[in-house]
Amino acid sequence: MTSEDLEHFAENELSLLETLDHVLTLGLVVAGEITISVANIELIFIGLNLLVGSTETVYEVLGKRLQNLDQSDLSTQSPSR
Amino acid sequence: MIRAIPMDLYAYCLCQEMEGGLLETVSGVAGAKPFGLPYEGLVAVVSELAGGPITVTRENVLAHERVISHVFARTTPLPFRFGALLRPAELDNYLELNRTALLAMLARVRGRAEMSVKIIAQPGSAAVAQDPCMQPSLRGEGLGQGAMFLAAKQRELAETRMIEERARETASWLAEQLATVVKDTCVRLRPTGGLALKAAHLIERARLEEYRERLGLARMERPELLFLTSGPWPPYSFCDLTTRSHDR
């Protein structure tokens, strides 16, 4: 990333990224009670290194959900032939 | 004890004292009205919310931050991470279990704010090229396919090593530059890609301007580094209970 790349982000965009970085990855956590879902993935997946932490958090949540979905699909699938 | 409420509670932050009417003009996640729940020297800022997952949308994230910022304008709270939806009894239990640690954290951040610094080192810089490991032969010149693969791997490892070393050096340099004004630091080295490190500094609110000036001087000293600074924030990086033992 270069300073030119950074300049492509308006101040309010950087402000939003910083807000996401703080709000989604830091702060007090009540174990087992974080219940978020991702309806608007493009909000998070901006592809900027600044958001590595947030993206990881989202993928962690998404991954678990997809895994649960897969298992649920498998368990409800009837043998096909 | 916290009064019984039939709905789930969405938690924003914790503080020690709150002026009456402070939350009257702010709306929270899903448009719900936040309010303070007192618990033995602590006040939990929450809003009632019907059960179900909290969707990560721009509106919800900003609503979470808006409520915390509103409180932060008057006092320094301990913010909850986005998505803390719990039953009243669970919040009650959490506060009971962690009361002493939470009060200690509130004392630590009282009158202070978090400033965030991200430092981006540009990849492919001269420092990597000057690494003695980066001999012409290791760049794959005049080698067969197998040797070229090994040379590429070695080059990759050398670059990673250089970036890690640079991240550590940068963290140490930054700490030295800001030592007189920073009360507490939380640094995460990110020696991947271009991001060298993320640092959070806990600063006395009255000394924020001095901090900015010192950081400005530091930036001038290292023009090869890109800085992204933001703040003041509520102390998001300074409320990790996982590293502390419970009160009982």
Side-chain angles (χ1 to χ4, degrees):
Chain A
M1 186 188 303
T2 67
S3 54
E4 288 75 27
D5 293 328
L6 272 180
E7 282 165 12
H8 290 157
F9 290 90
E11 197 173 321
N12 59 344
E13 287 174 315
L14 284 173
S15 173
L16 176 64
L17 295 177
E18 280 290 277
T19 301
L20 290 171
D21 199 20
H22 280 81
V23 171
L24 295 180
T25 66
L26 302 168
L28 289 171
V29 174
V30 184
E33 296 304 325
I34 299 296
T35 49
I36 64 172
S37 68
V38 181
N40 197 5
I41 189 65
E42 69 272 16
L43 175 75
I44 311 302
F45 189 68
I46 299 167
L48 198 63
N49 279 337
L50 308 176
L51 268 183
V52 165
S54 307
T55 312
E56 280 169 357
T57 304
V58 169
Y59 279 136
E60 193 180 315
V61 173
L62 269 183
K64 280 179 189 159
R65 281 172 179 273
L66 290 173
Q67 204 173 22
N68 291 341
L69 265 179
D70 285 348
Q71 283 167 357
S72 148
D73 283 351
L74 284 173
S75 63
T76 54
Q77 243 173 11
S78 57
S80 59
R81 185 162 286 275
Chain B
M1 301 289 281
I2 289 173
R3 66 192 169 90
I5 295 173
M7 297 185 84
D8 284 344
L9 295 174
Y10 182 88
Y12 299 92
C13 60
L14 294 173
C15 51
Q16 269 189 283
E17 66 281 321
M18 188 185 298
E19 301 164 25
L22 174 64
L23 298 168
E24 271 173 17
T25 57
V26 66
S27 64
V29 170
K33 204 78 196 152
F35 56 95
L37 277 179
Y39 180 93
E40 297 181 10
L42 291 165
V43 178
V45 177
V46 298
S47 60
E48 293 182 349
L49 209 62
I54 308 296
T55 306
V56 183
T57 62
R58 178 189 294 249
E59 290 71 27
N60 282 344
V61 169
L62 293 181
H64 177 91
E65 170 58 14
R66 183 170 58 238
V67 173
I68 296 171
S69 294
H70 199 77
V71 176
F72 181 58
R74 300 295 179 90
T75 184
T76 304
L78 297 177
F80 277 97
R81 189 178 296 188
F82 179 84
L85 183 65
L86 49 167
R87 287 183 285 276
E90 289 167 338
L91 178 61
D92 196 352
N93 186 49
Y94 175 80
L95 295 178
E96 185 183 356
L97 196 64
N98 299 292
R99 184 175 169 276
T100 306
L102 291 167
L103 285 169
M105 274 192 230
L106 279 165
R108 177 190 182 200
V109 302
R110 182 187 294 275
R112 295 172 177 171
E114 175 177 326
M115 294 297 286
S116 168
V117 183
K118 291 180 171 73
I119 297 184
I120 299 159
Q122 303 198 50
S125 67
V128 175
Q130 285 162 10
D131 188 340
C133 291
M134 301 301 291
Q135 302 296 324
S137 63
L138 294 181
R139 292 184 195 135
E141 293 164 12
L143 298 175
Q145 262 194 335
M148 275 178 69
F149 171 78
L150 290 174
K153 287 306 272 181
Q154 191 164 354
R155 189 166 60 242
E156 201 178 294
L157 286 172
E159 283 178 2
T160 303
R161 192 177 62 244
M162 283 296 291
I163 292 169
E164 283 173 357
E165 198 176 301
R166 177 190 281 195
R168 275 192 294 274
E169 180 274 322
T170 306
S172 160
W173 165 80
L174 186 66
E176 198 178 304
Q177 297 296 312
L178 302 170
T180 56
V181 70
V182 169
K183 292 293 178 190
D184 209 341
T185 307
C186 173
V187 176
R188 293 177 179 85
L189 297 180
R190 294 272 190 189
T192 53
L195 188 59
L197 68 92
K198 290 169 71 172
H201 297 133
L202 196 60
I203 312 290
E204 298 282 356
R205 288 186 189 227
R207 298 185 72 184
L208 284 172
E209 200 48 47
E210 185 185 346
Y211 169 85
R212 287 192 184 101
E213 280 169 18
R214 285 188 177 275
L215 191 60
L217 291 172
R219 288 172 78 148
M220 286 165 65
E221 203 176 290
R222 298 286 293 268
E224 79 279 14
L225 299 174
L226 298 174
F227 286 71
L228 179 66
T229 61
S230 67
W233 295 96
Y236 280 96
S237 304
F238 298 92
C239 45
D240 184 5
L241 272 179
T242 58
T243 57
R244 291 155 191 271
S245 58
H246 285 152
D247 303 345
R248 62 187 175 88

